[in-house]
Amino acid sequence: LFPYTTLFRSLDFFREISGLYYLTRATLYCTFIEPLRGKPNKWGPVWTQMEEVGVKSIGIVFLISFLIGVILAFNSAYQMSRMGALDYVGALVGVTVLKELGPLMTALIIAGRVGASFTAEMGTMKVSDEILALETMAINPVKFLITPRFLALLVMLPCLTIMADLMGVLGGYVIGTTTLGIDSASYIQHSLEKMQVIDVFTGLIKSVVFAVIIVMVGSYLAFIIEGGAEKVGENTRSSVVVSMVLIIIANLLFTALFFFIT
């Protein structure tokens, strides 16, 4: 029985991967190819989604990023002070936030806040046959529902990442200069010496990939819902977990890639 169970689970896994791939391909086509063929995107829903996923997430992103910078500064100072290199706390905080923690923590926050809402909203439409009604009226559900969310997050997640980077660096600076006793000029000098433009671009590239993961996982798990409200709740929880796991895996792959490239 065990080999058959393993086989069925493997088939289910590849079936889900295949479905996610085809939905992603359809979304990319509707978003970028159809406008070139005379079917432009409607920007009204995109602006609405940008406010929902971006503007309304600024507060929580600012708070978490600032606290991450504070925590990172404290932990870095503990190790650096033992080596007599306390002045380099700023450099360590800055590079770590720009390349890793800024884009990663922002994506995890958005996956929990926005990815779940995507699945819940579209999943409710699926079980109430609203998506079927769109298809009956010859309206493409992918272009009508997913494309505005896709474009909105594709723009707003990198913007939120930049804000998170600034707040993380600021958190480290505030603690470094007020609590750890590091000279302000020295902190800024060592930070600027180590932080490079490529670090910012590395984080932004990651954030674009994370945006695709969040939108597509949330949308796919909404579109495959069969059943009632209980299934909507189950897939909403699953979308958060799956998105976070895929984000961390993608972050690992990009970190390894950029390590060998640079």
Side-chain angles (χ1 to χ4, degrees):
L1 180 61
F2 176 74
Y4 291 107
T5 303
T6 304
L7 176 61
F8 288 141
R9 288 179 178 176
S10 299
L11 292 176
D12 288 339
F13 172 77
F14 286 111
R15 189 180 299 115
E16 301 295 347
I17 293 297
S18 176
L20 184 60
Y21 163 75
Y22 283 112
L23 183 62
T24 303
R25 190 176 69 174
T27 301
L28 292 174
Y29 178 82
C30 291
T31 304
F32 299 113
I33 304 301
E34 283 195 352
L36 301 177
R37 298 185 173 183
K39 296 180 180 180
N41 296 314
K42 295 182 179 180
W43 288 96
V46 176
W47 300 126
T48 301
Q49 290 297 325
M50 288 175 70
E51 181 181 1
E52 289 294 325
V53 306
V55 176
K56 294 184 178 180
S57 299
I58 290 177
I60 185 64
V61 170
F62 272 21
L63 176 62
I64 297 299
S65 301
F66 184 84
L67 295 178
I68 289 294
V70 170
I71 294 170
L72 188 58
F74 274 125
N75 282 281
S76 302
Y78 176 75
Q79 297 296 332
M80 291 296 189
S81 61
R82 299 170 65 181
M83 297 183 291
L86 189 62
D87 287 345
Y88 288 91
V89 167
L92 180 59
V93 171
V95 173
T96 304
V97 168
L98 291 181
K99 294 183 68 174
E100 295 295 334
L101 292 183
L104 180 61
M105 293 305 301
T106 304
L108 293 178
I109 293 169
I110 297 301
R113 182 188 179 278
V114 174
S117 70
F118 286 171
T119 305
E121 291 170 8
M122 289 186 280
T124 302
M125 296 179 68
K126 179 68 162 53
V127 299
S128 60
D129 293 331
E130 293 181 44
I131 292 180
L132 180 60
L134 290 175
E135 295 174 342
T136 302
M137 294 185 292
I139 298 175
N140 187 344
V142 173
K143 191 172 185 64
F144 187 78
L145 296 174
I146 301 180
T147 292
R149 292 169 169 82
F150 184 76
L151 285 172
L153 200 57
L154 211 59
V155 173
M156 295 308 297
L157 191 57
C159 294
L160 289 172
T161 298
I162 293 175
M163 297 178 188
D165 291 343
L166 294 175
M167 291 304 296
V169 172
L170 178 62
Y173 171 79
V174 170
I175 293 302
T177 56
T178 61
T179 305
L180 302 178
I182 304 174
D183 180 67
S184 178
S186 177
Y187 190 101
I188 295 174
Q189 178 186 353
H190 287 102
S191 297
L192 294 178
E193 285 177 355
K194 297 301 179 182
M195 291 190 296
Q196 301 177 3
V197 177
I198 188 64
D199 297 330
V200 179
F201 283 110
T202 297
L204 293 179
I205 292 172
K206 288 182 179 181
S207 68
V208 171
V209 176
F210 296 160
V212 175
I213 291 173
I214 293 169
V215 176
M216 298 319 305
V217 170
S219 302
Y220 176 72
L221 289 176
F223 272 49
I224 64 172
I225 289 177
E226 297 291 343
E230 181 181 352
K231 192 65 176 178
V232 174
E234 180 182 331
N235 278 29
T236 299
R237 292 190 299 270
S238 298
S239 71
V240 176
V241 175
V242 173
S243 295
M244 288 183 173
V245 171
L246 291 180
I247 286 169
I248 293 173
I249 292 174
N251 184 70
L252 170 62
L253 295 176
F254 275 99
T255 298
L257 177 64
F258 289 133
F259 175 79
F260 288 111
I261 290 178
T262 57

